C-alpha cells in the first residue's frame, strides 16, 4: 500500500512538472512572438535614403533593441540599444526601454533630449534592478543631409564612404549609460552624408561573437565585411554581415544578442553635384 501510494505521488508530481514545463514554454514562445512583432514593426520610408534593422537573440528572447520613429518634420529618429543581461529579465527591460523611447521621441526635439528623457524615465527602475541600458540615438534629416546623434555608453556606429568603401567610426560623442546617473544631459554631434554613404549601427554581440576556438569576430573583421559590401543596398549589407558571422562562428553557440541597423543615403541625381565630403558639426 505504501509502495502504491509513493508511486501515485511520483506519477502525479511528474505529470504536474510536465504540465508546468509546457505552460512555461508556451509563455516563453508568446513572449518571443510579442518581442519579435515589436522589433519587426513596419520599416519607415523617407526621402533620400533607406533603413533596415534586425536582431538575432542569443536565447529565445533577448535584451537588444532597435527602433525607428518618423518625426513630423520629415526626419527619422533611429535608436539602438543593449540591456545588461540576457533572456527574460533583459527582454522585460527592453520593453520598458521601448516604451520610454516612443514617449520621448514624440515629445523631444533632438537625440540628446530623447536620451535625457529616457534616463529620467528609466533611472529608478534600472537602479532598483541593478541594471543599465546602453543606447545610441540619431536623427536623419533628408532636408539638410545631416545625421545628428547622441550616445549613452553605446558602440559608435561605423561610417561607410559611398565612393571609396572606406570604413571608420563616426566622430565620437560621449555619454553615460541610461540608468548610470540621474539628471544627465547628452552631447550631440552631426555628420553630413553624401550620396551612397552608409551608417552601420550595431551592438557588441557582433564584434564579440566567438568561434569554437574562442576567438572573437572583432571590429576589424566587421570593417572588412562592410568594405566588401559598400556598393550594396541595405538588405544585402545586413545579409552579408550575418553570413560572415555565421561563417566565422562555424556553429559555435551564440553567447550574446546580435543586432544591427543599416542606414544608406540615396539622393536624386540633381542633388549630388551640390554635396561635398562629410562635414562634422560640433
Amino acid at each position: 500500500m505504501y509502495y502504491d501510494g509513493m508511486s501515485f505521488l511520483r506519477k502525479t508530481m511528474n505529470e504536474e512538472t510536465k504540465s508546468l514545463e509546457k505552460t512555461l514554454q508556451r509563455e516563453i514562445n508568446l513572449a518571443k512572438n510579442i518581442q519579435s512583432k515589436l522589433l519587426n514593426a513596419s520599416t519607415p520610408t523617407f526621402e533620400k535614403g533607406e533603413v533596415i534593422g534586425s536582431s538575432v537573440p542569443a536565447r529565445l528572447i533577448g535584451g537588444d533593441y532597435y527602433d525607428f520613429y518618423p518625426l513630423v518634420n520629415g526626419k527619422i529618429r533611429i535608436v539602438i540599444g543593449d540591456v545588461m543581461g540576457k533572456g527574460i529579465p533583459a527582454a522585460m527591460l527592453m520593453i520598458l526601454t521601448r516604451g520610454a523611447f516612443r514617449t520621448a521621441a514624440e515629445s523631444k526635439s533632438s537625440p540628446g533630449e530623447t536620451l535625457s528623457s529616457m534616463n529620467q524615465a528609466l533611472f529608478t527602475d534600472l537602479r532598483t534592478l541593478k541594471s543599465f541600458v546602453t543606447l545610441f540615438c540619431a536623427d536623419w534629416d533628408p532636408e539638410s543631409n545631416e545625421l545628428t546623434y547622441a550616445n549613452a555608453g553605446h558602440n559608435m556606429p561605423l561610417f561607410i564612404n559611398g565612393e571609396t568603401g572606406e570604413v571608420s567610426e563616426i566622430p565620437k560623442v560621449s555619454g553615460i549609460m541610461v540608468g548610470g546617473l540621474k539628471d544627465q544631459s547628452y552631447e550631440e554631434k552631426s555628420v553630413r552624408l553624401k550620396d551612397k554613404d552608409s551608417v552601420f549601427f550595431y551592438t557588441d554581440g557582433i564584434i564579440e561573437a566567438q568561434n569554437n576556438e574562442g576567438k572573437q569576430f572583432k571590429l576589424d573583421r566587421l570593417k572588412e565585411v562592410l568594405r566588401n559590401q559598400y556598393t550594396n543596398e541595405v538588405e544585402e549589407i545586413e545579409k552579408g554581415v550575418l553570413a560572415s558571422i555565421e561563417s566565422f562562428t562555424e556553429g559555435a553557440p551564440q553567447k550574446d544578442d546580435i543586432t544591427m541597423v543599416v542606414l544608406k543615403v540615396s539622393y536624386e541625381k540633381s542633388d549630388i553635384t551640390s554635396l561635398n565630403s562629410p562635414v562634422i558639426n560640433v
Side-chain angles (χ1 to χ4, degrees):
M1 193 72 175
Y2 172 78
Y3 174 78
D4 290 342
M6 289 301 294
S7 297
F8 176 78
L9 181 60
R10 281 196 295 268
K11 181 180 179 181
T12 301
M13 291 179 65
N14 287 336
E15 289 175 351
E16 289 179 351
T17 299
K18 289 179 181 178
S19 177
L20 181 61
E21 288 176 349
K22 289 181 179 179
T23 299
L24 180 60
Q25 189 61 50
R26 281 197 301 269
E27 291 181 354
I28 291 174
N29 288 334
L30 178 60
K32 178 184 177 182
N33 291 335
I34 291 172
Q35 185 180 58
S36 177
K37 288 179 180 178
L38 292 178
L39 279 176
N40 295 294
S42 58
T43 302
T45 57
F46 48 94
E47 294 182 2
K48 297 183 179 179
E50 56 181 346
V51 69
I52 195 171
S54 66
S55 185
V56 182
R59 301 181 183 176
L60 280 177
I61 51 180
D64 277 6
Y65 168 63
Y66 73 89
D67 206 355
F68 312 115
Y69 194 91
L71 303 175
V72 293
N73 53 13
K75 298 179 183 179
I76 174 73
R77 184 159 292 165
I78 301 167
V79 70
I80 188 168
D82 187 352
V83 177
M84 186 183 76
K86 301 178 183 68
I88 294 175
M92 292 173 68
L93 288 175
M94 187 278 278
I95 298 299
L96 288 177
T97 301
R98 182 183 187 272
F101 171 71
R102 289 293 177 112
T103 299
E106 189 171 328
S107 59
K108 301 302 176 182
S109 62
S110 71
E113 289 183 2
T114 298
L115 291 181
S116 294
S117 178
M118 292 178 72
N119 186 62
Q120 288 297 101
L122 295 170
F123 179 80
T124 300
D125 288 340
L126 290 172
R127 295 296 286 180
T128 299
L129 298 170
K130 297 181 180 179
S131 187
F132 61 84
V133 184
T134 68
L135 289 165
F136 190 93
C137 185
D139 285 2
W140 163 243
D141 185 350
E143 191 67 31
S144 66
N145 311 320
E146 286 187 332
L147 186 76
T148 302
Y149 54 90
N151 188 22
H154 198 74
N155 304 311
M156 293 301 298
L158 298 173
F159 166 75
I160 310 164
N161 188 298
E163 293 181 355
T164 66
E166 180 183 356
V167 180
S168 59
E169 283 190 355
I170 65 174
K172 187 167 184 172
V173 59
S174 299
I176 194 167
M177 65 195 75
V178 169
L181 290 172
K182 202 171 184 180
D183 301 321
Q184 288 298 294
S185 59
Y186 291 89
E187 179 188 4
E188 295 179 355
K189 287 186 179 179
S190 296
V191 57
R192 183 169 295 152
L193 303 177
K194 313 187 311 303
D195 185 53
K196 306 305 180 186
D197 287 345
S198 300
V199 179
F200 184 84
F201 309 75
Y202 66 100
T203 60
D204 56 15
I206 292 180
I207 58 176
E208 294 178 2
Q210 294 185 8
N211 61 17
N212 290 306
E213 298 176 353
K215 295 181 180 178
Q216 292 188 340
F217 193 75
K218 292 190 175 180
L219 184 60
D220 286 343
R221 185 174 279 104
L222 174 59
K223 288 181 177 180
E224 182 62 27
V225 172
L226 294 175
R227 274 193 290 270
N228 293 333
Q229 296 283 333
Y230 83 99
T231 59
N232 291 336
E233 301 303 316
V234 291
E235 294 89 348
E236 293 305 314
I237 295 174
E238 175 195 66
K239 290 177 182 177
V241 171
L242 290 174
S244 296
I245 295 170
E246 183 178 358
S247 176
F248 173 80
T249 56
E250 298 178 322
Q254 183 182 335
K255 294 185 176 181
D256 200 2
D257 304 330
I258 291 173
T259 302
M260 71 187 83
V261 170
V262 188
L263 169 71
K264 186 160 189 174
V265 177
S266 178
Y267 295 144
E268 297 294 333
K269 290 182 179 180
S270 59
D271 293 328
I272 297 175
T273 55
S274 65
L275 298 172
N276 299 315
S277 298
V279 176
I280 309 306
N281 300 318
V282 182

